[in-house]
C-alpha cells in the first residue's frame, strides 16, 4: 500500500508536471479542454490529477454546466426536432426533451433557436432529462408582469376574446382581464372591434393569491388627455364656440367630448322648441358646434348650449302678429291649469283652462285637449319683451250669456245635466257655458236631504225651473222641486188638525215613536200620547187610530196622538152628561116654582092678605 501511495504520488507529480501546460490551455480555451478531456481515464484512475488541477476543473464545470438541482429557468438551444419533441441542450450531463405541444404558439421553431426552459424531471425512467418550456414561460411571464406592474412599463398584449364585462388579453402568455371601462376614455359600445388585435397596455392590478392580472389601455391615454384637458380648460371662455362629439345621451341632457374635456348640454338648451328626449335632436358620435354658457371655478363642470347658436324664435316672430289675431298650433304640454300651444318653432302660448270654455265650472285642461292636437285660438295677450303669450279658445264662439235673459227667463222650465256637487247644492249645466245652482232645499218638497248625492248622481238629467238670474255676476239659480206642485198644499187640508187617521206604529224613537201616513208624511207621536185606554202603551207594529194635534207646512212637521182619541171621547161623555143634567134641572124648575107659589099663597093667606 505504501508503495502504491508512493507511486501514485510520483505519478501525480509527473502528471502535474506534464499537464501543467494543459491547465493553462484550459484557461485559455475551456470549451476545447472540456471537449478533449479523457473522462474514461479519469474515472478509471489512469490519469491522476492533483488537487490544484481538480479545483480548476470544478471551477470550469461550475461555470459551464447547469446545476440540475435548482428549479430555475435557464436558456437552452434547440439541437434537434422530431415529429413529437424538441431536443434542447442546456449544458447539462444530457440533453432535455420538450413536447412540441408547448411550442404551438411558435410554429416556426427551428434548430438553433434559443428557448427558456425549466427542469421538470432530472431523470425519467430512461434516464432522460425532462424539461418544460410552458412552465418556464409562465414563471418568466409572472416575473415580467410583476416588473411591469412595479415600474409602470407599457406591455403589448393580444386581445383573445370578449367576456362578461370586458376582454381577455394574452400578456407574456398569461391571460389578463381588460375591463370594459378600461378600454378607452369614452364608453365602448362594440367590444368585438378589438378582438384579435394587438394593443399596448399597462398592468394596473395583480392578485397573487388568485393569479389574476388586470390591465388597462385607458390608463395609457389618460396622461395625454390630461395634458390636453389642461390646455383646453385654460383657454375656455364664456360664449366661446367649440366643436365636440356626442359622447353620451341621457334623459336630462347630452354629454359632449370637447377633446378630453366633457361638457353637458341640458335638454332645455338643445332646442328652442320643446322636446321630450334629447335623441330627437342629436345622436351618438355626432359632431356638433356648441357654445360655452358657464363653468365652475375649476372649470370641471362645463355648461354648453346648442340652441344659442341660432336666433331666438321670438325675435323671428312677425311684427304684424298682434292681440286679437287667430293662430293655429299644436298642443305640446298639458297641465291642470291649462295647455301650452306651439304656434311657431320655439314660440309657445298658454291657454288657461278658464279660457277653454265659457262655463264658470272649471275642469281640467285634459277634458278639452290632448297632446299633439292641432287647435285654433285667439291671442289674448302678447309680451314680446318677456316672450309670453296667452291664448283663448272660447273667444272663437259666441258668449252664451249675451242673450241669457231671452233663452232662460224667470220661471221657465229646462232640462240640464248634473255636473258637480257641493255640500249646499248641485251644479247643473243647461248648455256649454251656462251652469246653474240648485240649492239643496230646492231639490224636493218632502224629502229631508243631507247631501245632494243622496238625491242624484253626476251625469243625471234633471228638470229645473229658473228661480233667479244675475246677468252681471253670471249666476243662475235653479230649482227642481218647483217643476212639480207642492204636495203640502194638499196635505194641509187632508191632515188638518183634529183629523183622525189609521196607521201602523213603525218605529220607536227617542221620546216617542213614528207612524207613516203616506210616502211623504211621517208623523211623530210623543211618548205620553202612546198610552192606550187601558193604561198600556202602543208597541211597534200595532195598528191604531191617531189624531193630528199639530201640522206645520213650513217645517213639514206633523205630530199625532193616540191617547187623544179616547180622552176626547171621555170629554165628550162628560160634556153630554153635564148637558143632560142641565136639561133635567131646567125641566124640574117649574114644579118647584109651583110649590113655591103654593107656599107663598099659603103664607099670604096666613098673613091675612087675602
Amino acid at each position: 500500500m505504501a508503495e502504491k501511495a508512493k507511486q501514485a504520488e510520483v505519478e501525480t507529480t509527473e502528471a502535474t508536471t506534464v499537464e501543467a501546460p494543459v491547465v493553462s490551455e484550459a484557461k485559455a480555451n475551456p470549451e476545447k479542454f472540456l471537449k478533449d478531456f479523457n473522462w474514461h481515464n479519469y474515472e478509471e484512475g489512469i490519469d491522476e490529477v492533483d488537487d490544484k488541477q481538480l479545483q480548476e476543473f470544478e471551477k470550469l464545470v461550475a461555470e459551464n454546466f447547469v446545476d440540475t438541482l435548482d428549479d430555475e429557468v435557464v436558456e437552452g438551444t434547440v439541437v434537434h426536432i422530431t415529429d413529437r419533441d424538441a431536443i434542447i441542450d442546456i449544458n447539462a450531463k444530457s440533453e432535455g426533451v420538450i413536447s412540441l405541444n408547448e411550442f404551438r404558439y411558435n410554429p416556426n421553431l427551428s434548430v438553433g433557436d434559443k428557448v427558456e426552459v425549466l427542469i421538470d424531471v432530472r431523470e425519467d425512467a430512461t434516464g432522460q432529462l425532462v424539461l418544460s418550456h410552458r412552465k418556464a414561460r409562465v414563471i418568466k411571464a409572472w416575473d415580467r408582469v410583476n416588473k411591469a406592474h412595479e415600474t409602470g412599463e407599457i406591455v403589448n398584449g393580444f386581445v383573445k376574446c370578449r367576456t362578461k364585462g370586458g376582454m381577455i388579453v394574452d400578456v407574456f402568455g398569461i391571460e389578463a382581464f381588460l375591463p370594459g371601462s378600461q378600454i378607452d376614455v369614452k364608453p365602448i359600445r362594440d367590444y368585438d372591434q378589438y378582438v384579435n388585435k394587438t394593443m399596448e397596455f399597462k398592468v394596473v392590478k395583480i392578485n397573487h393569491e388568485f393569479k389574476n392580472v388586470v390591465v388597462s389601455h385607458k390608463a395609457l391615454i389618460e396622461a395625454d388627455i390630461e395634458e390636453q384637458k389642461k390646455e383646453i380648460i385654460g383657454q375656455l371662455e364664456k360664449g366661446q364656440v367649440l366643436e365636440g362629439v356626442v359622447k353620451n345621451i341621457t334623459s336630462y341632457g347630452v354629454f359632449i367630448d370637447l377633446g378630453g374635456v366633457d361638457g353637458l348640454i341640458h335638454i332645455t338648451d338643445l332646442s328652442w322648441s320643446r322636446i321630450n328626449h334629447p335623441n330627437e335632436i342629436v345622436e351618438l358620435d355626432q359632431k356638433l358646434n356648441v357654445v360655452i354658457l358657464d363653468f365652475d371655478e375649476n372649470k370641471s363642470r362645463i355648461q354648453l348650449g346648442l340652441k344659442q347658436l341660432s336666433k331666438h324664435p321670438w325675435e323671428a316672430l312677425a311684427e304684424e302678429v298682434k292681440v286679437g289675431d287667430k293662430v293655429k298650433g299644436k298642443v305640446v304640454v298639458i297641465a291642470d291649469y291649462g295647455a301650452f300651444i306651439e304656434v311657431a318653432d320655439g314660440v309657445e302660448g298658454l291657454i288657461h283652462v278658464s279660457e277653454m270654455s265659457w262655463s264658470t265650472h272649471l275642469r281640467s285642461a285634459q277634458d278639452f285637449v290632448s297632446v299633439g292636437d292641432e287647435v285654433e285660438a285667439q291671442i289674448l295677450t302678447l309680451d314680446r319683451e318677456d316672450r309670453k303669450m296667452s291664448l283663448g279658445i272660447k273667444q272663437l264662439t259666441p258668449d252664451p250669456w249675451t242673450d241669457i235673459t231671452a233663452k232662460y227667463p224667470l220661471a221657465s222650465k229646462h232640462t240640464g245635466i248634473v255636473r258637480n256637487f257641493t255640500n249646499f247644492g248641485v251644479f247643473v249645466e243647461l248648455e256649454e257655458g251656462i251652469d246653474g245652482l240648485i240649492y239643496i232645499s230646492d231639490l224636493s218638497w218632502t224629502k229631508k236631504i243631507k247631501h245632494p248625492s243622496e238625491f242624484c248622481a253626476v251625469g243625471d238629467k234633471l228638470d229645473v225651473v229658473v228661480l233667479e238670474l244675475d246677468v252681471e255676476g253670471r249666476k243662475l239659480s235653479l230649482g227642481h222641486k218647483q217643476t212639480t206642485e207642492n204636495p203640502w198644499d194638499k196635505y194641509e187640508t187632508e191632515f188638518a188638525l183634529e183629523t183622525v187617521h189609521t196607521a201602523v206604529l213603525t218605529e220607536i224613537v227617542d221620546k216617542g215613536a213614528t207612524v207613516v201616513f203616506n210616502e211623504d208624511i211621517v208623523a211623530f207621536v210623543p211618548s205620553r200620547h202612546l198610552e192606550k185606554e187601558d193604561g198600556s202603551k202602543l208597541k211597534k207594529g200595532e195598528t191604531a187610530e191617531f189624531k193630528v194635534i199639530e201640522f206645520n207646512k213650513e217645517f213639514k212637521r206633523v205630530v199625532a196622538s193616540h191617547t187623544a182619541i179616547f180622552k176626547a171621547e171621555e170629554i165628550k161623555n162628560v160634556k153630554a152628561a153635564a148637558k143632560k143634567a142641565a136639561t133635567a134641572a131646567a125641566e124640574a124648575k117649574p114644579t118647584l116654582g109651583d110649590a113655591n107659589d103654593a107656599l107663598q099663597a099659603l103664607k099670604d093667606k096666613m098673613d091675612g092678605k087675602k
Side-chain angles (χ1 to χ4, degrees), residues 421-425 440 443 448-456:
F421 292 140
T422 67
N423 290 330
F424 53 82
I440 196 169
L443 286 173
K448 293 182 179 180
I449 302 171
K450 293 181 179 180
H451 192 272
S453 59
E454 300 173 7
F455 184 80
C456 58

Side-chain angles (χ1 to χ4, degrees), residues 588-601:
K589 186 175 182 179
T591 303
L592 291 173
D594 292 342
N596 289 334
D597 291 341
L599 289 173
Q600 187 65 41

Side-chain angles (χ1 to χ4, degrees), residues 65-110:
F65 284 89
V66 174
D67 184 1
T68 59
L69 297 177
D70 293 334
D71 293 334
E72 294 183 0
V73 176
V74 297
E75 187 176 69
T77 305
V78 180
V79 295
H80 185 64
I81 298 177
T82 67
D83 293 339
R84 300 177 58 186
D85 302 314
I87 310 302
I88 311 297
D89 180 12
I90 62 169
N91 287 335
K93 287 183 180 180
S94 61
E95 293 160 338
V97 178
I98 298 177
S99 172
L100 287 179
N101 288 334
E102 297 191 20
F103 294 99
R104 280 183 297 181
Y105 75 95
N106 184 13
N108 299 321
L109 183 70
S110 59

